[in-house]
């Protein structure tokens, strides 16, 4: 086996990708399969998860599908246990679950603010904890990656992003704490924080030429992110190549946070 394979291959590893059939999640799931991992995809829609797992199987990857309610701690734990029991172990956890409910400051409602934090922050905590319990029980460590956002560090003018920024900012700091607590168990916890990624979730915003042009003008590399850009960063962070990296947020942003 060559050095590149030693550093990047994931043969024999079991990966769980929550939100694993969405725009970013699908790219990550395919990438994990291509690197040799067995992949469980899950999210809030059992039919979509099953259909995408079928696509992975057709491509020759060992896959499994289930669904869960991210704001239910009990259901989250049930889902992670189900995946670990199906494959017999759990080595990699990638959290691609996230959403926004845009409300401008002064008009923010308690219901929507709580919902965004429940999904993006509380949901991340209890997904990570359920996965870590299996990784700790196995005694072999593991890798965890959460999808953050450039909004982890920067606000967005002209938009109602208070809840989203709060949840993503909290996610980065929470992952530092989890990384510190789980380091004795050889569990690495990191965050990939992209700028806007070309997915259906933000298609309407990106279709606004004025918004898109002003966005790209602020990015030194002159473009937004593609799902495969996120995939590549995640694959690095779950591979042996990143064994000494934990508690970090990688800004996948074309240089925007280096210049603002």
């Amino acid at each position: 086996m060559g050095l590149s394979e030693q550093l990047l291959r994931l043969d024999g590893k079991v990966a769980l990708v929550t939100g694993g059939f969405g725009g970013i999640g699908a790219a990550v799931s395919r990438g994990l399969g291509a690197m040799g991992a067995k992949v469980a995809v899950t999210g809030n829609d059992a039919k979509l998860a099953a259909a995408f797992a079928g696509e992975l199987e057709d491509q020759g990857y060992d896959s499994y599908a289930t669904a869960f309610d991210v704001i239910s701690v009990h259901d989250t734990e049930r889902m992670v246990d189900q995946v670990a029991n199906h494959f017999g172990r759990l080595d990699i956890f990638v959290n691609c679950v996230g959403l926004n409910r845009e409300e401008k400051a002064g008009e923010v409602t308690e219901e929507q603010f709580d919902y965004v934090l429940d999904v993006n922050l509380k949901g991340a905590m209890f997904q990570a904890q359920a996965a870590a319990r299996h990784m700790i029980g196995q005694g072999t460590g593991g890798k965890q990656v959460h999808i953050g956002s450039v909004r982890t560090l920067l606000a967005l003018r002209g938009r109602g992003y208070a809840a989203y920024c709060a949840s993503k900012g909290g996610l980065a700091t929470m992952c530092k704490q989890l990384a510190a607590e789980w380091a004795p168990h050889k569990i690495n916890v990191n965050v990939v924080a992209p700028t806007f990624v070309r997915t259906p979730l933000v298609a309407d915003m990106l279709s606004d030429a004025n918004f898109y042009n002003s966005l790209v003008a602020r990015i030194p590399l002159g473009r937004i992110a593609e799902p495969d850009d996120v995939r590549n960063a995640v694959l690095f962070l779950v591979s042996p190549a990143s064994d000494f990296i934990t508690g970090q947020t990688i800004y996948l942003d074309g240089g925007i946070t280096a210049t603002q």
Side-chain angles (χ1 to χ4, degrees), residues 1 15 37 120 126 140 143 159 186 190 195 198 210 230 233 247 255:
M1 181 182 293
N120 293 354
F126 288 99
T140 54
K143 298 288 183 74
R159 313 291 303 202
K186 300 297 187 287
N190 292 293
T195 183
R198 197 182 306 278
N210 289 333
V230 184

Side-chain angles (χ1 to χ4, degrees), residues 94-137:
V94 184
N95 170 27
C96 299
V97 173
L99 53 74
N100 189 18
R101 293 291 185 269
E102 186 174 341
E103 294 179 319
K104 292 190 176 183
E107 302 173 0
V108 175
T109 63
E110 181 180 11
E111 178 184 11
Q112 293 301 328
F113 189 87
D114 285 351
Y115 183 62
V116 172
L117 264 68
D118 281 348
V119 172
N120 293 354
L121 186 57
K122 180 180 176 181
M125 175 65 223
F126 288 99
Q127 291 174 70
Q129 179 170 273
R133 284 173 177 160
H134 287 279
M135 295 172 178
I136 292 169

Side-chain angles (χ1 to χ4, degrees), residues 2 48 55-56 58 71 82 143 154 168 218 230 252:
L48 289 178
E55 291 181 26
L56 294 179
D58 291 342
I71 62 175
Q82 184 179 345
K143 298 288 183 74
L154 298 175
K168 293 301 185 178
R218 298 196 306 272
V230 184
L252 193 75

Side-chain angles (χ1 to χ4, degrees), residues 58 83 94 164 178 180 187 200 220 233 235:
D58 291 342
V83 169
V94 184
Y164 187 78
L178 297 182
I187 297 174
L235 290 180

Side-chain angles (χ1 to χ4, degrees), residues 22-35:
I24 292 174
V28 169
S29 296
R30 290 192 186 96
L32 289 165
M35 288 294 102

Side-chain angles (χ1 to χ4, degrees), residues 52-102:
F52 184 68
E55 291 181 26
L56 294 179
E57 291 280 355
D58 291 342
Q59 295 169 26
Y61 306 141
D62 190 349
S63 64
Y64 176 73
T66 184
F68 78 117
D69 179 0
V70 68
I71 62 175
S72 166
V73 174
H74 175 76
D75 201 46
T76 296
E77 293 173 342
R78 187 272 312 159
M79 177 273 295
V80 175
D81 290 347
Q82 184 179 345
V83 169
N85 291 337
H86 175 81
F87 284 118
R89 61 183 300 106
L90 181 59
D91 305 289
I92 295 166
F93 165 62
V94 184
N95 170 27
C96 299
V97 173
L99 53 74
N100 189 18
R101 293 291 185 269
E102 186 174 341

